[in-house]
Amino acid sequence: MKKLLSIVLAIAMVFSLSVMAFADELNTGKTSGEAVVKTSTLKEDGHTSAENYTVTYPAETTIAWEKESTDIEYTVQAQLTWDHQLKLDVASADNKMSSDNQDDYTLDYTLTGDTSIQDGPVIAEGTTKTLNIGIPAENWAKVPVDEYKDTLTFTSQLVSA
Amino acid sequence: MKKTLALVLALAMVLSLAVPAFAEDKKLPDAAGATKGTSEILTSETKSDGTSAASFEVNYPAKTTFNWGDTVADAKITYTAKTHLSVGSKLTVSVTSEKSKMTLADNADYGLEYTLKDDAAGSAPLADLTLNEIASAEKTVYVDIPQAQWDAAPVGQYSDILTFEATVS
């Protein structure tokens, strides 16, 4: 029993000595020292990654009849690790606007501008990108007046820098 | 009292959470962490200046002069129509005369009675022109003045008014 107790106490003493290795102190014998400060890549909760990004885009854009060029703006912001970049792609399935009222006519359009971007690891908040919807006059002239619609898909992902 | 206050505060909190759902913008990643989202583009049925996108145009001569004795094949008026209307709409153009009689300006005793015809042979009465949503057409109206009318009328400048009416339905 005594031997066991002495072993336990010895181990406790060794652990207490190791604590001293993680701290430092200045005294009359040591008047300067270095302390390291560093950041974690985790937030204060200890498990959420600090890496973040936000892409903000309109839910819906209405285009006036016969308007040949319409800009759609979206914003991006990112704060990633040094080896990451944000990649964003915007696309339509077939670049055709169709009507819920009839199937005979579709309105063809072009989607140009910032349809594919890759940037980072830091993208300043409020960085604006612009898409353009192009519908030539001859395309407008071919279709009866109606509400034509299409869906643009925004796809974001983190990629290696 | 405390329970009531707690309920009110809880409702206020829930309502404040609902506000972002009404915002115009969407975000990626979304609240569920999805990295893919959709944005809808749609056309308006009004132009940039606020006017209706639906339109049609009918062009017809303000005045047409026939030669004395012209037959139905030669006494004609041609007009054009063009449409860009809403889905399912159509344009109907009708041409009518109130009196079907050309008269002298200063003598009501004489006149040239006529009928409007659809063909150069004068065999069919004038029909309305009907166009679908996107269409254009040219149509001729034949003015049939029978020879007997020409023969019975003193030579003069007879005139009448034709009314062009366009209806979208």
Side-chain angles (χ1 to χ4, degrees):
Chain A
M1 184 63 187
K2 284 183 183 178
K3 284 184 182 176
L4 180 63
L5 187 60
S6 64
I7 289 170
V8 169
L9 287 172
I11 292 172
M13 186 189 76
V14 167
F15 281 150
S16 71
L17 287 174
S18 70
V19 168
M20 297 301 290
F22 299 145
D24 198 1
E25 71 172 32
L26 301 180
N27 49 44
T28 53
K30 182 180 178 193
T31 57
S32 71
E34 293 181 349
V36 176
V37 289
K38 63 177 187 178
T39 63
S40 168
T41 57
L42 300 175
K43 291 189 174 179
E44 202 167 343
D45 60 13
H47 57 80
T48 305
S49 172
E51 216 176 26
N52 70 90
Y53 72 88
T54 303
V55 177
T56 305
Y57 59 98
E60 184 180 285
T61 302
T62 300
I63 301 170
W65 192 264
E66 289 183 348
K67 191 165 184 207
E68 295 184 48
S69 177
T70 302
D71 285 340
I72 300 174
E73 287 188 346
Y74 65 93
T75 60
V76 293
Q77 168 272 328
Q79 191 172 26
L80 311 174
T81 57
W82 65 270
D83 56 342
H84 279 162
Q85 288 190 314
L86 171 65
K87 185 174 190 308
L88 181 78
D89 294 293
V90 186
S92 157
D94 57 7
N95 284 39
K96 290 180 191 294
M97 300 173 79
S98 58
S99 163
D100 291 337
N101 302 318
Q102 45 81 18
D103 297 324
D104 294 334
Y105 299 95
T106 56
L107 188 57
D108 292 355
Y109 68 93
T110 57
L111 175 65
T112 57
D114 294 318
T115 58
S116 184
I117 64 166
Q118 182 172 329
D119 203 359
V122 175
I123 304 174
E125 188 167 357
T127 298
T128 302
K129 301 293 180 183
T130 306
L131 304 166
N132 180 267
I133 304 292
I135 308 175
E138 55 265 32
N139 288 14
W140 285 110
K142 286 181 200 168
V143 298
V145 176
D146 199 351
E147 185 181 86
Y148 295 86
K149 297 186 284 189
D150 195 18
T151 299
L152 302 182
T153 301
F154 285 68
T155 306
S156 62
Q157 57 181 309
L158 298 186
V159 297
S160 296
Chain B
M1 183 62 183
K2 282 185 183 176
K3 285 184 182 175
T4 305
L5 187 60
L7 182 60
V8 169
L9 289 172
L11 280 172
M13 186 187 74
V14 167
L15 287 174
S16 71
L17 290 171
V19 167
F22 303 143
E24 294 178 346
D25 292 337
K26 298 168 82 170
K27 292 187 188 297
L28 292 177
D30 66 11
T35 57
K36 197 170 187 175
T38 58
S39 175
E40 191 170 72
I41 54 172
L42 62 156
T43 63
S44 166
E45 294 190 41
T46 54
K47 296 184 181 182
S48 297
D49 60 6
T51 58
S52 172
S55 68
F56 69 86
E57 195 174 287
V58 178
N59 289 294
Y60 58 95
K63 186 163 78 173
T64 305
T65 302
F66 305 140
N67 297 315
W68 189 264
D70 264 353
T71 63
V72 62
D74 296 319
K76 57 190 179 182
I77 302 161
T78 299
Y79 70 93
T80 60
K82 188 175 175 182
T83 58
H84 196 172
L85 304 173
S86 299
V87 168
S89 297
K90 59 181 181 182
L91 173 74
T92 302
V93 181
S94 65
V95 183
T96 56
S97 164
E98 186 180 353
K99 301 177 297 183
S100 293
K101 185 176 181 178
M102 301 172 76
T103 55
L104 292 170
D106 49 6
N107 189 325
D109 294 336
Y110 300 98
L112 289 170
E113 293 183 347
Y114 67 90
T115 51
L116 300 178
K117 296 293 175 67
D118 215 46
D119 60 312
S123 59
L126 181 66
D128 293 341
L129 174 67
T130 301
L131 294 182
N132 291 329
E133 307 103 324
I134 297 187
S136 61
E138 182 179 271
K139 185 171 174 72
T140 300
V141 177
Y142 296 90
V143 181
D144 187 5
I145 306 171
Q147 189 60 50
Q149 289 288 311
W150 287 115
D151 292 343
V155 174
Q157 196 172 62
Y158 296 78
S159 64
D160 193 16
I161 293 175
L162 298 184
T163 301
F164 284 74
E165 186 168 358
T167 309
V168 174
S169 59

